[in-house]
């Protein structure tokens, strides 16, 4: 026996995927109020960019804070786009990417970040496994101890995904592989079998901490209960009294009220001892049939159920949670056209959120956001609660719509345009809850690259490096980069105030007060210090010289000695 062999799932590139998940990112999230709804006050986030980079950025701010993750990743059918995960850039490419927004506030996006994974690719399965592995490694860090993740998938990668999840989340944390009946009619043009289902893998972060929420009882379920003998305890249904695990002590004859002798079938016995059986008879909990000569069955009363709800089942029938056509109709009704392939129905996501046992303040993350069904479902739940406070974080790469597509003709340049429009339209139909979202976009850092190669040094280049911030960056870019760096939630309230011509930025009420204007004066510094912020944020260009910075610290020492002063 080779002692070096052991059971595992491996593929070319797995170690690289591990390293990719562990490597830091130099990217930041830039806010875009122009594309946001209720930017200042909303607690929902819509993040545009590569989800691997986003998951890395979210580590500080949302470690162990996400109750539910749902993702619907590419299924690897041979036509799906997957992320190339190649983030090495030349200096020229870095300069080109600084052209971040177009005139309408849309994020410029290079197609080099993703590609079609064709089945002709010799690493067809390996590339997909590497892509999903690194992202799930990071995603698990964000789950609360009692959190849960759902992943939609089909037969192409179901087996690989299950093994990857077993490794990342642990086999013991596997809850179920749900089967979603996605179609309501067979496809007669199928070559072999008309596939009517997808899978949804369900893993807990810590199965000992997770409690599933039972489903509301339905009229159909309750209709199975009746009361043919007018028992004062109410309606009941009967259950089998025999078991396969044979015990001679539990194998005895039973005499029915009509005098008929009944014994268990060969190899089976009663589930109750003879004494316990007689106690049940005396308490009118054994049913012998209307004529009193049937095989005895145990009466189970609806009023005595241990749980008020119903136990979830692994098969999700489309009559209960919707199908792909329903999802398409929902999107078409909102946007006036079908601009997305096979969007998930809202009822399916709401069902999964019920199983996840969300509290009123839960955070729900979807980092393959697509048409934004997840956001729609969260808002629906909040509306049903007359103002619930569940919050969503959606992440979507701004993949371009094909120029000949109906979506592009309707004015949607990217998938993100479709997703954001869907959230806006869905919110207009709701009365309660947070219907806004704050748009953040992945970009390179705010600081100029001062590490130049010898050939890049030209006459006058040093004069351009006296300003360390890139010229296209604004105050919100600087503020939100620090929010991420400090590990604060990206959805705290924001406001601005003009004081003597200077702009003050408030984040999380008093968690940060920032000013990035030049030549700020002593009265303004005193004004900020007297508000006693947790952190005061400035740029070095706010001050004419080092002495002004020293005076700043003296002023805060007098008025607010506990404030943390940060100078960029």
């Amino acid at each position: 026996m080779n002692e070096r062999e052991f059971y595992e799932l491996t593929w070319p590139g797995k170690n690289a995927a591990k390293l990719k998940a562990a490597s830091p990112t130099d990217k930041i999230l830039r806010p875009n109020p122009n594309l946001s709804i209720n930017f200042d006050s909303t607690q929902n986030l819509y993040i545009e960019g590569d989800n691997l980079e986003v998951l890395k950025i979210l580590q500080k701010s949302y470690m162990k804070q996400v109750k539910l993750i749902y993702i619907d990743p590419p299924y690897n059918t041979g036509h799906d786009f997957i992320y190339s995960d190649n983030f090495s850039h030349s200096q020229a490419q870095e300069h080109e990417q600084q052209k971040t927004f177009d005139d309408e506030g849309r994020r410029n996006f290079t197609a080099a970040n993703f590609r079609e994974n064709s089945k002709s690719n010799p690493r067809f399965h390996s590339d997909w496994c590497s892509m999903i592995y690194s992202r799930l490694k990071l995603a698990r860090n964000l789950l609360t101890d009692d959190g849960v993740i759902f992943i939609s998938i089909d037969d192409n990668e179901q087996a690989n995904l299950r093994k990857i999840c077993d490794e990342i989340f642990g086999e013991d944390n596997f809850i179920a592989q749900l089967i979603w009946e996605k179609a309501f009619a067979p496809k007669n043009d199928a070559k072999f079998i008309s596939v009517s289902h997808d899978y949804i893998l369900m893993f807990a972060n810590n199965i000992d901490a997770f409690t599933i929420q039972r489903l509301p009882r339905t009229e159909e379920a309750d209709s199975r209960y009746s009361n043919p003998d007018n028992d004062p305890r109410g309606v009941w249904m009967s259950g089998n009294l025999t078991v396969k695990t044979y015990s001679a002590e539990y194998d005895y004859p039973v005499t029915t009220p009509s005098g008929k002798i009944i014994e268990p079938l060969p190899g089976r016995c009663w589930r109750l001892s003879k004494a316990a059986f007689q106690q049940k008879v005396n308490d009118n909990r054994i049913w012998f049939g209307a004529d009193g000569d049937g095989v005895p069955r145990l009466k189970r009363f609806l009023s005595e159920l241990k749980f008020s709800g119903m136990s979830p089942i692994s098969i999700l029938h489309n009559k209960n949670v919707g199908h792909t056509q329903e999802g398409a109709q929902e999107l078409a009704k909102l946007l006036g056209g079908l601009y997305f392939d096979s969007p998930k129905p809202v009822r399916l996501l709401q069902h999964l959120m019920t199983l996840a046992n969300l509290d009123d303040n839960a955070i729900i993350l979807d980092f393959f956001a697509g048409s934004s069904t997840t956001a729609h479902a969260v808002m629906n739940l909040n509306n049903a609660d007359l103002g619930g406070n569940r919050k969503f974080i959606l992440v979507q790469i701004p993949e371009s719509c094909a120029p000949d597509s109906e979506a592009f003709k309707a004015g949607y340049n990217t998938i993100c345009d479709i997703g954001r429009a869907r959230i806006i339209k869905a919110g207009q139909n709701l009365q309660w809850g947070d219907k806004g979202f704050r748009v953040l976009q992945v970009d390179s850092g705010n600081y100029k690259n001062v590490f130049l190669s010898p050939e890049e040094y030209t006459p006058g280049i040093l004069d351009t490096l006296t300003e360390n911030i890139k010229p296209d960056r604004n105050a919100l870019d600087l503020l939100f980069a620090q929010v991420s760096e400090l590990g604060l939630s990206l959805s705290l309230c924001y406001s601005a105030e003009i004081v003597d011509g200077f702009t003050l930025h408030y984040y999380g009420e008093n968690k940060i007060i920032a000013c990035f204007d030049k030549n700020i004066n002593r009265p303004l510094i005193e004004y900020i210090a007297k508000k006693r912020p947790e952190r005061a944020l400035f740029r070095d260009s706010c001050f004419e010289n080092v002495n002004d910075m020293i005076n700043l610290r003296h002023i805060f020492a007098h008025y607010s000695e506990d404030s943390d002063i940060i100078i960029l």
Side-chain angles (χ1 to χ4, degrees), residues 495-518:
S495 62
E497 180 186 20
I498 305 297
V499 178
D500 295 334
F502 298 101
T503 303
L504 301 185
H505 304 271
Y506 296 82
Y507 189 77
E509 294 180 350
N510 223 34
K511 290 190 176 297
I512 297 178
I513 299 180
C515 182
F516 303 113
D517 296 337
K518 292 184 178 181

PDB file of all heavy atoms in Angstrom, residues 495-518:
ATOM      1  N   SER A 495     -23.609  61.404   5.004  1.00  0.00           N
ATOM      2  CA  SER A 495     -24.143  62.754   4.796  1.00  0.00           C
ATOM      3  C   SER A 495     -22.971  63.711   4.631  1.00  0.00           C
ATOM      4  O   SER A 495     -21.825  63.391   4.971  1.00  0.00           O
ATOM      5  CB  SER A 495     -25.032  63.187   5.971  1.00  0.00           C
ATOM      6  OG  SER A 495     -24.279  63.244   7.173  1.00  0.00           O
ATOM      7  N   ALA A 496     -23.264  64.879   4.094  1.00  0.00           N
ATOM      8  CA  ALA A 496     -22.239  65.904   3.895  1.00  0.00           C
ATOM      9  C   ALA A 496     -22.746  67.234   4.447  1.00  0.00           C
ATOM     10  O   ALA A 496     -23.953  67.489   4.505  1.00  0.00           O
ATOM     11  CB  ALA A 496     -21.888  66.034   2.422  1.00  0.00           C
ATOM     12  N   GLU A 497     -21.807  68.084   4.857  1.00  0.00           N
ATOM     13  CA  GLU A 497     -22.144  69.381   5.429  1.00  0.00           C
ATOM     14  C   GLU A 497     -21.129  70.414   4.939  1.00  0.00           C
ATOM     15  O   GLU A 497     -19.921  70.131   4.884  1.00  0.00           O
ATOM     16  CB  GLU A 497     -22.129  69.318   6.958  1.00  0.00           C
ATOM     17  CG  GLU A 497     -22.466  70.640   7.647  1.00  0.00           C
ATOM     18  CD  GLU A 497     -22.290  70.574   9.151  1.00  0.00           C
ATOM     19  OE1 GLU A 497     -21.566  69.666   9.640  1.00  0.00           O
ATOM     20  OE2 GLU A 497     -22.853  71.448   9.842  1.00  0.00           O
ATOM     21  N   ILE A 498     -21.591  71.579   4.567  1.00  0.00           N
ATOM     22  CA  ILE A 498     -20.718  72.674   4.174  1.00  0.00           C
ATOM     23  C   ILE A 498     -20.525  73.601   5.365  1.00  0.00           C
ATOM     24  O   ILE A 498     -21.506  74.123   5.927  1.00  0.00           O
ATOM     25  CB  ILE A 498     -21.282  73.474   2.984  1.00  0.00           C
ATOM     26  CG1 ILE A 498     -21.579  72.541   1.805  1.00  0.00           C
ATOM     27  CG2 ILE A 498     -20.308  74.580   2.570  1.00  0.00           C
ATOM     28  CD1 ILE A 498     -20.375  71.859   1.241  1.00  0.00           C
ATOM     29  N   VAL A 499     -19.276  73.811   5.781  1.00  0.00           N
ATOM     30  CA  VAL A 499     -18.953  74.675   6.912  1.00  0.00           C
ATOM     31  C   VAL A 499     -17.886  75.674   6.455  1.00  0.00           C
ATOM     32  O   VAL A 499     -16.756  75.272   6.140  1.00  0.00           O
ATOM     33  CB  VAL A 499     -18.443  73.872   8.120  1.00  0.00           C
ATOM     34  CG1 VAL A 499     -18.071  74.808   9.274  1.00  0.00           C
ATOM     35  CG2 VAL A 499     -19.482  72.855   8.568  1.00  0.00           C
ATOM     36  N   ASP A 500     -18.256  76.946   6.396  1.00  0.00           N
ATOM     37  CA  ASP A 500     -17.323  78.007   5.974  1.00  0.00           C
ATOM     38  C   ASP A 500     -16.656  77.696   4.637  1.00  0.00           C
ATOM     39  O   ASP A 500     -15.454  77.955   4.436  1.00  0.00           O
ATOM     40  CB  ASP A 500     -16.242  78.229   7.046  1.00  0.00           C
ATOM     41  CG  ASP A 500     -16.814  78.762   8.343  1.00  0.00           C
ATOM     42  OD1 ASP A 500     -17.889  79.423   8.295  1.00  0.00           O
ATOM     43  OD2 ASP A 500     -16.211  78.522   9.401  1.00  0.00           O
ATOM     44  N   GLY A 501     -17.422  77.081   3.738  1.00  0.00           N
ATOM     45  CA  GLY A 501     -16.892  76.789   2.416  1.00  0.00           C
ATOM     46  C   GLY A 501     -16.170  75.461   2.306  1.00  0.00           C
ATOM     47  O   GLY A 501     -15.784  75.048   1.206  1.00  0.00           O
ATOM     48  N   PHE A 502     -15.988  74.759   3.425  1.00  0.00           N
ATOM     49  CA  PHE A 502     -15.337  73.452   3.415  1.00  0.00           C
ATOM     50  C   PHE A 502     -16.407  72.348   3.490  1.00  0.00           C
ATOM     51  O   PHE A 502     -17.440  72.525   4.146  1.00  0.00           O
ATOM     52  CB  PHE A 502     -14.379  73.305   4.605  1.00  0.00           C
ATOM     53  CG  PHE A 502     -13.258  74.297   4.612  1.00  0.00           C
ATOM     54  CD1 PHE A 502     -13.311  75.425   5.436  1.00  0.00           C
ATOM     55  CD2 PHE A 502     -12.151  74.121   3.792  1.00  0.00           C
ATOM     56  CE1 PHE A 502     -12.280  76.349   5.447  1.00  0.00           C
ATOM     57  CE2 PHE A 502     -11.108  75.041   3.794  1.00  0.00           C
ATOM     58  CZ  PHE A 502     -11.176  76.162   4.618  1.00  0.00           C
ATOM     59  N   THR A 503     -16.137  71.232   2.835  1.00  0.00           N
ATOM     60  CA  THR A 503     -17.085  70.110   2.826  1.00  0.00           C
ATOM     61  C   THR A 503     -16.661  69.065   3.839  1.00  0.00           C
ATOM     62  O   THR A 503     -15.532  68.538   3.783  1.00  0.00           O
ATOM     63  CB  THR A 503     -17.173  69.467   1.431  1.00  0.00           C
ATOM     64  OG1 THR A 503     -17.551  70.459   0.469  1.00  0.00           O
ATOM     65  CG2 THR A 503     -18.193  68.340   1.434  1.00  0.00           C
ATOM     66  N   LEU A 504     -17.571  68.748   4.758  1.00  0.00           N
ATOM     67  CA  LEU A 504     -17.344  67.676   5.734  1.00  0.00           C
ATOM     68  C   LEU A 504     -18.185  66.467   5.331  1.00  0.00           C
ATOM     69  O   LEU A 504     -19.345  66.610   4.954  1.00  0.00           O
ATOM     70  CB  LEU A 504     -17.732  68.129   7.144  1.00  0.00           C
ATOM     71  CG  LEU A 504     -17.006  69.352   7.707  1.00  0.00           C
ATOM     72  CD1 LEU A 504     -17.411  69.580   9.154  1.00  0.00           C
ATOM     73  CD2 LEU A 504     -15.497  69.185   7.600  1.00  0.00           C
ATOM     74  N   HIS A 505     -17.587  65.300   5.453  1.00  0.00           N
ATOM     75  CA  HIS A 505     -18.259  64.048   5.106  1.00  0.00           C
ATOM     76  C   HIS A 505     -18.436  63.230   6.380  1.00  0.00           C
ATOM     77  O   HIS A 505     -17.464  62.941   7.087  1.00  0.00           O
ATOM     78  CB  HIS A 505     -17.434  63.259   4.090  1.00  0.00           C
ATOM     79  CG  HIS A 505     -17.115  64.030   2.850  1.00  0.00           C
ATOM     80  ND1 HIS A 505     -17.933  64.046   1.747  1.00  0.00           N
ATOM     81  CD2 HIS A 505     -16.048  64.837   2.550  1.00  0.00           C
ATOM     82  CE1 HIS A 505     -17.406  64.814   0.807  1.00  0.00           C
ATOM     83  NE2 HIS A 505     -16.255  65.306   1.262  1.00  0.00           N
ATOM     84  N   TYR A 506     -19.698  62.853   6.667  1.00  0.00           N
ATOM     85  CA  TYR A 506     -20.012  62.060   7.859  1.00  0.00           C
ATOM     86  C   TYR A 506     -20.360  60.644   7.422  1.00  0.00           C
ATOM     87  O   TYR A 506     -21.229  60.450   6.573  1.00  0.00           O
ATOM     88  CB  TYR A 506     -21.207  62.660   8.611  1.00  0.00           C
ATOM     89  CG  TYR A 506     -20.959  64.044   9.171  1.00  0.00           C
ATOM     90  CD1 TYR A 506     -21.086  65.172   8.361  1.00  0.00           C
ATOM     91  CD2 TYR A 506     -20.614  64.218  10.501  1.00  0.00           C
ATOM     92  CE1 TYR A 506     -20.872  66.446   8.870  1.00  0.00           C
ATOM     93  CE2 TYR A 506     -20.404  65.487  11.029  1.00  0.00           C
ATOM     94  CZ  TYR A 506     -20.533  66.599  10.196  1.00  0.00           C
ATOM     95  OH  TYR A 506     -20.319  67.859  10.712  1.00  0.00           O
ATOM     96  N   TYR A 507     -19.708  59.674   8.048  1.00  0.00           N
ATOM     97  CA  TYR A 507     -20.005  58.274   7.710  1.00  0.00           C
ATOM     98  C   TYR A 507     -20.357  57.526   8.986  1.00  0.00           C
ATOM     99  O   TYR A 507     -19.619  57.571   9.980  1.00  0.00           O
ATOM    100  CB  TYR A 507     -18.808  57.606   7.034  1.00  0.00           C
ATOM    101  CG  TYR A 507     -19.160  56.239   6.492  1.00  0.00           C
ATOM    102  CD1 TYR A 507     -19.878  56.112   5.307  1.00  0.00           C
ATOM    103  CD2 TYR A 507     -18.830  55.081   7.188  1.00  0.00           C
ATOM    104  CE1 TYR A 507     -20.242  54.874   4.817  1.00  0.00           C
ATOM    105  CE2 TYR A 507     -19.190  53.841   6.705  1.00  0.00           C
ATOM    106  CZ  TYR A 507     -19.891  53.738   5.519  1.00  0.00           C
ATOM    107  OH  TYR A 507     -20.270  52.508   5.036  1.00  0.00           O
ATOM    108  N   GLY A 508     -21.516  56.823   8.937  1.00  0.00           N
ATOM    109  CA  GLY A 508     -21.953  56.112  10.137  1.00  0.00           C
ATOM    110  C   GLY A 508     -22.192  57.078  11.270  1.00  0.00           C
ATOM    111  O   GLY A 508     -21.757  56.823  12.399  1.00  0.00           O
ATOM    112  N   GLU A 509     -22.849  58.200  10.948  1.00  0.00           N
ATOM    113  CA  GLU A 509     -23.071  59.298  11.897  1.00  0.00           C
ATOM    114  C   GLU A 509     -21.725  59.839  12.386  1.00  0.00           C
ATOM    115  O   GLU A 509     -21.117  60.654  11.720  1.00  0.00           O
ATOM    116  CB  GLU A 509     -23.974  58.826  13.054  1.00  0.00           C
ATOM    117  CG  GLU A 509     -25.384  58.482  12.589  1.00  0.00           C
ATOM    118  CD  GLU A 509     -26.273  58.033  13.706  1.00  0.00           C
ATOM    119  OE1 GLU A 509     -25.773  57.790  14.824  1.00  0.00           O
ATOM    120  OE2 GLU A 509     -27.497  57.937  13.471  1.00  0.00           O
ATOM    121  N   ASN A 510     -21.187  59.303  13.482  1.00  0.00           N
ATOM    122  CA  ASN A 510     -19.969  59.881  14.042  1.00  0.00           C
ATOM    123  C   ASN A 510     -18.769  58.939  13.964  1.00  0.00           C
ATOM    124  O   ASN A 510     -17.750  59.183  14.601  1.00  0.00           O
ATOM    125  CB  ASN A 510     -20.198  60.289  15.498  1.00  0.00           C
ATOM    126  CG  ASN A 510     -19.585  61.638  15.810  1.00  0.00           C
ATOM    127  OD1 ASN A 510     -19.565  62.518  14.958  1.00  0.00           O
ATOM    128  ND2 ASN A 510     -19.094  61.817  17.029  1.00  0.00           N
ATOM    129  N   LYS A 511     -18.902  57.868  13.194  1.00  0.00           N
ATOM    130  CA  LYS A 511     -17.774  56.936  13.107  1.00  0.00           C
ATOM    131  C   LYS A 511     -16.604  57.558  12.345  1.00  0.00           C
ATOM    132  O   LYS A 511     -15.440  57.325  12.684  1.00  0.00           O
ATOM    133  CB  LYS A 511     -18.205  55.621  12.460  1.00  0.00           C
ATOM    134  CG  LYS A 511     -19.121  54.790  13.341  1.00  0.00           C
ATOM    135  CD  LYS A 511     -19.338  53.401  12.781  1.00  0.00           C
ATOM    136  CE  LYS A 511     -20.182  52.566  13.728  1.00  0.00           C
ATOM    137  NZ  LYS A 511     -19.511  52.349  15.034  1.00  0.00           N
ATOM    138  N   ILE A 512     -16.908  58.303  11.305  1.00  0.00           N
ATOM    139  CA  ILE A 512     -15.873  59.029  10.563  1.00  0.00           C
ATOM    140  C   ILE A 512     -16.398  60.415  10.230  1.00  0.00           C
ATOM    141  O   ILE A 512     -17.521  60.566   9.755  1.00  0.00           O
ATOM    142  CB  ILE A 512     -15.485  58.320   9.249  1.00  0.00           C
ATOM    143  CG1 ILE A 512     -14.867  56.939   9.508  1.00  0.00           C
ATOM    144  CG2 ILE A 512     -14.504  59.174   8.443  1.00  0.00           C
ATOM    145  CD1 ILE A 512     -14.504  56.191   8.232  1.00  0.00           C
ATOM    146  N   ILE A 513     -15.586  61.422  10.479  1.00  0.00           N
ATOM    147  CA  ILE A 513     -15.799  62.742   9.897  1.00  0.00           C
ATOM    148  C   ILE A 513     -14.560  63.044   9.067  1.00  0.00           C
ATOM    149  O   ILE A 513     -13.429  62.995   9.582  1.00  0.00           O
ATOM    150  CB  ILE A 513     -16.020  63.833  10.958  1.00  0.00           C
ATOM    151  CG1 ILE A 513     -17.260  63.523  11.801  1.00  0.00           C
ATOM    152  CG2 ILE A 513     -16.168  65.191  10.282  1.00  0.00           C
ATOM    153  CD1 ILE A 513     -17.537  64.569  12.872  1.00  0.00           C
ATOM    154  N   ALA A 514     -14.758  63.340   7.793  1.00  0.00           N
ATOM    155  CA  ALA A 514     -13.637  63.528   6.879  1.00  0.00           C
ATOM    156  C   ALA A 514     -13.725  64.885   6.202  1.00  0.00           C
ATOM    157  O   ALA A 514     -14.817  65.402   5.926  1.00  0.00           O
ATOM    158  CB  ALA A 514     -13.629  62.428   5.822  1.00  0.00           C
ATOM    159  N   CYS A 515     -12.557  65.442   5.938  1.00  0.00           N
ATOM    160  CA  CYS A 515     -12.461  66.649   5.117  1.00  0.00           C
ATOM    161  C   CYS A 515     -11.221  66.521   4.249  1.00  0.00           C
ATOM    162  O   CYS A 515     -10.133  66.197   4.760  1.00  0.00           O
ATOM    163  CB  CYS A 515     -12.377  67.907   5.980  1.00  0.00           C
ATOM    164  SG  CYS A 515     -12.329  69.433   4.993  1.00  0.00           S
ATOM    165  N   PHE A 516     -11.367  66.752   2.960  1.00  0.00           N
ATOM    166  CA  PHE A 516     -10.250  66.578   2.031  1.00  0.00           C
ATOM    167  C   PHE A 516      -9.911  67.889   1.297  1.00  0.00           C
ATOM    168  O   PHE A 516      -9.137  67.882   0.346  1.00  0.00           O
ATOM    169  CB  PHE A 516     -10.578  65.487   1.009  1.00  0.00           C
ATOM    170  CG  PHE A 516     -10.925  64.171   1.630  1.00  0.00           C
ATOM    171  CD1 PHE A 516     -12.207  63.653   1.534  1.00  0.00           C
ATOM    172  CD2 PHE A 516      -9.979  63.451   2.341  1.00  0.00           C
ATOM    173  CE1 PHE A 516     -12.535  62.433   2.105  1.00  0.00           C
ATOM    174  CE2 PHE A 516     -10.287  62.231   2.926  1.00  0.00           C
ATOM    175  CZ  PHE A 516     -11.572  61.723   2.811  1.00  0.00           C
ATOM    176  N   ASP A 517     -10.498  69.003   1.737  1.00  0.00           N
ATOM    177  CA  ASP A 517     -10.249  70.284   1.086  1.00  0.00           C
ATOM    178  C   ASP A 517      -8.876  70.830   1.478  1.00  0.00           C
ATOM    179  O   ASP A 517      -8.348  70.535   2.565  1.00  0.00           O
ATOM    180  CB  ASP A 517     -11.333  71.292   1.474  1.00  0.00           C
ATOM    181  CG  ASP A 517     -12.702  70.874   0.970  1.00  0.00           C
ATOM    182  OD1 ASP A 517     -12.754  70.097   0.004  1.00  0.00           O
ATOM    183  OD2 ASP A 517     -13.714  71.306   1.558  1.00  0.00           O
ATOM    184  N   LYS A 518      -8.323  71.655   0.631  1.00  0.00           N
ATOM    185  CA  LYS A 518      -7.015  72.255   0.900  1.00  0.00           C
ATOM    186  C   LYS A 518      -7.153  73.455   1.835  1.00  0.00           C
ATOM    187  O   LYS A 518      -8.191  74.104   1.907  1.00  0.00           O
ATOM    188  CB  LYS A 518      -6.360  72.685  -0.413  1.00  0.00           C
ATOM    189  CG  LYS A 518      -5.970  71.520  -1.310  1.00  0.00           C
ATOM    190  CD  LYS A 518      -5.247  72.002  -2.558  1.00  0.00           C
ATOM    191  CE  LYS A 518      -4.821  70.813  -3.423  1.00  0.00           C
ATOM    192  NZ  LYS A 518      -4.090  71.238  -4.645  1.00  0.00           N
TER     193      LYS A 518
END
